[in-house]
Amino acid sequence: MLRLRGISKRYGERQVLDDVSFDVAPGRLTGFVGGNGAGKTTTMRIVLGLLARDAGEVTLGGAPLSPEERHHFGYMPEERGLYPKMKVLEHIVYLARLHGFDKADATRRATELLEQLGLGERLGDNIESLSLGNQQRAQIAASLVHGPNVLILDEPFSGLDPLAVEVVANVLQQRAADGVAVLFSSHQLDVVERLCDDLVIIADGTIRAAGGRDALREQHSSHRYELVTDGDAGWLRTEPGVQVVDFEGGFARFDVDSDTTAQRVLRRAVELGAVASFAPQHPSLSQIFKEVIR
């Protein structure tokens, strides 16, 4: 378990991180979301030892992180940092060799990974000749080729088309399934919501929400329901404790003032006709994000 507790960082008079605490569990994808300047990149760089913290601690398996343990981390910065004149395969092999793999093993690992990321036909091309999206895939390969046990990615889906997003997402999900702890930031909330097991929301350097995706959706859900019947659901507009949000024929989306009201609505709906569905509506990550950063 990668664990952050009480991390604080100040630049002069500006407090950029204030008591930041959350966990990144092995075998799980953790999405790290927040607006520009919220503190995501600073937090990641502190975890990696690239920035010094003013307070707090970062531990792995209950012990303070050592340089040797960080050597087994994978990191992809938001800024592209590959050598533009090197060939794709040559570059990823070079990085694997820096981690101690012999040439044959490094070549095998790099080739398999680049093929998984959809770059199998570009192995002999220079990095600078790739599209921005393909450069992003190559940079992801650079963070993965040594088989890290913790993976930290800053905006890995930036610049990727929908097909490339799926390819990269599948690779990250496989790494998590293999037991890797994966933390990634993204402004694409729909991608984060779909992929992640856990979510961390940061704003103005403080953690506003953190936990399992489904638990957070449950925690921030309002008393909103959807009803689908074979009749006219217009009667809901006169029900005590009910506020209709959307209505058309036998479909209605509405808020209730209590669980008791919801049960009363269901009983009334059944009395009036066949009920196709009646279910609570959980908020999207976008809705939760807007709520907690206010």
Side-chain angles (χ1 to χ4, degrees):
M1 177 82 74
L2 178 67
R3 180 161 287 172
L4 289 74
R5 289 294 179 269
I7 302 298
S8 296
K9 179 68 177 178
R10 179 184 291 274
Y11 291 116
E13 296 300 312
R14 183 179 170 222
Q15 187 80 39
V16 294
L17 296 179
D18 185 12
D19 194 27
V20 168
S21 301
F22 62 89
D23 298 334
V24 184
R28 295 176 71 84
L29 286 161
T30 299
F32 195 23
V33 299
N36 292 328
K40 301 185 301 296
T41 298
T42 299
T43 301
M44 290 178 166
R45 288 177 174 171
I46 286 174
V47 171
L48 292 158
L50 302 176
L51 284 177
R53 61 192 182 275
D54 296 332
E57 64 176 0
V58 183
T59 61
L60 183 66
L65 274 174
S66 66
E68 174 59 27
E69 286 170 325
R70 286 191 171 102
H71 183 72
H72 298 287
F73 281 22
Y75 175 51
M76 194 205 82
E78 184 174 10
E79 306 83 8
R80 291 182 174 89
L82 302 180
Y83 298 119
K85 300 296 184 183
M86 289 186 75
K87 298 186 185 303
V88 175
L89 179 60
E90 176 189 12
H91 201 322
I92 305 307
V93 169
Y94 168 72
L95 294 174
R97 296 293 305 274
L98 289 179
H99 280 274
F101 295 97
D102 63 36
K103 185 175 182 180
D105 200 13
T107 301
R108 177 186 59 78
R109 296 174 69 92
T111 302
E112 289 178 357
L113 182 55
L114 289 166
E115 288 176 347
Q116 288 174 12
L117 287 164
L119 292 176
E121 297 181 356
R122 310 300 301 272
L123 301 182
D125 295 349
N126 287 348
I127 295 290
E128 65 183 356
S129 73
L130 301 179
S131 67
L132 292 180
N134 281 339
Q135 288 184 32
Q136 187 81 337
R137 297 194 208 198
Q139 187 129 316
I140 291 168
S143 70
L144 287 168
V145 70
H146 58 294
N149 54 20
V150 175
L151 186 58
I152 298 177
L153 307 170
D154 201 350
E155 296 291 337
F157 299 104
S158 177
L160 298 183
D161 61 37
L163 179 59
V165 167
E166 290 304 311
V167 170
V168 171
N170 288 337
V171 170
L172 297 184
Q173 287 174 319
Q174 182 57 58
R175 292 305 183 278
D178 291 339
V180 176
V182 181
L183 174 69
F184 74 90
S185 68
S186 180
H187 288 100
Q188 296 166 261
L189 298 183
D190 58 329
V191 175
V192 176
E193 183 168 23
R194 178 166 54 87
L195 288 182
C196 285
D197 304 295
D198 301 309
L199 298 169
V200 179
I201 300 175
I202 188 171
D204 299 324
T206 64
I207 301 301
R208 303 299 179 86
R213 177 191 59 191
D214 295 338
L216 283 177
R217 293 182 67 192
E218 182 69 28
Q219 177 184 339
H220 291 273
S221 63
S222 61
H223 287 85
R224 177 163 294 181
Y225 288 79
E226 278 189 2
L227 170 67
V228 179
T229 75
D230 64 353
D232 188 328
W235 54 271
L236 275 166
R237 288 177 290 191
T238 60
E239 280 291 311
V242 174
Q243 181 178 357
V244 176
V245 176
D246 193 12
F247 162 73
E248 183 178 355
F251 167 83
R253 182 180 295 115
F254 56 95
D255 294 334
V256 296
D257 58 8
S258 68
D259 292 336
T260 300
T261 298
Q263 293 305 311
R264 188 186 74 238
V265 167
L266 177 58
R267 288 194 298 270
R268 177 82 187 280
V270 171
E271 290 172 358
L272 294 174
V275 174
S277 69
F278 180 84
Q281 298 301 293
H282 296 302
S284 66
L285 174 56
S286 178
Q287 291 169 318
I288 295 172
F289 180 78
K290 291 175 183 177
E291 176 184 335
V292 301
I293 67 170
R294 287 174 184 165

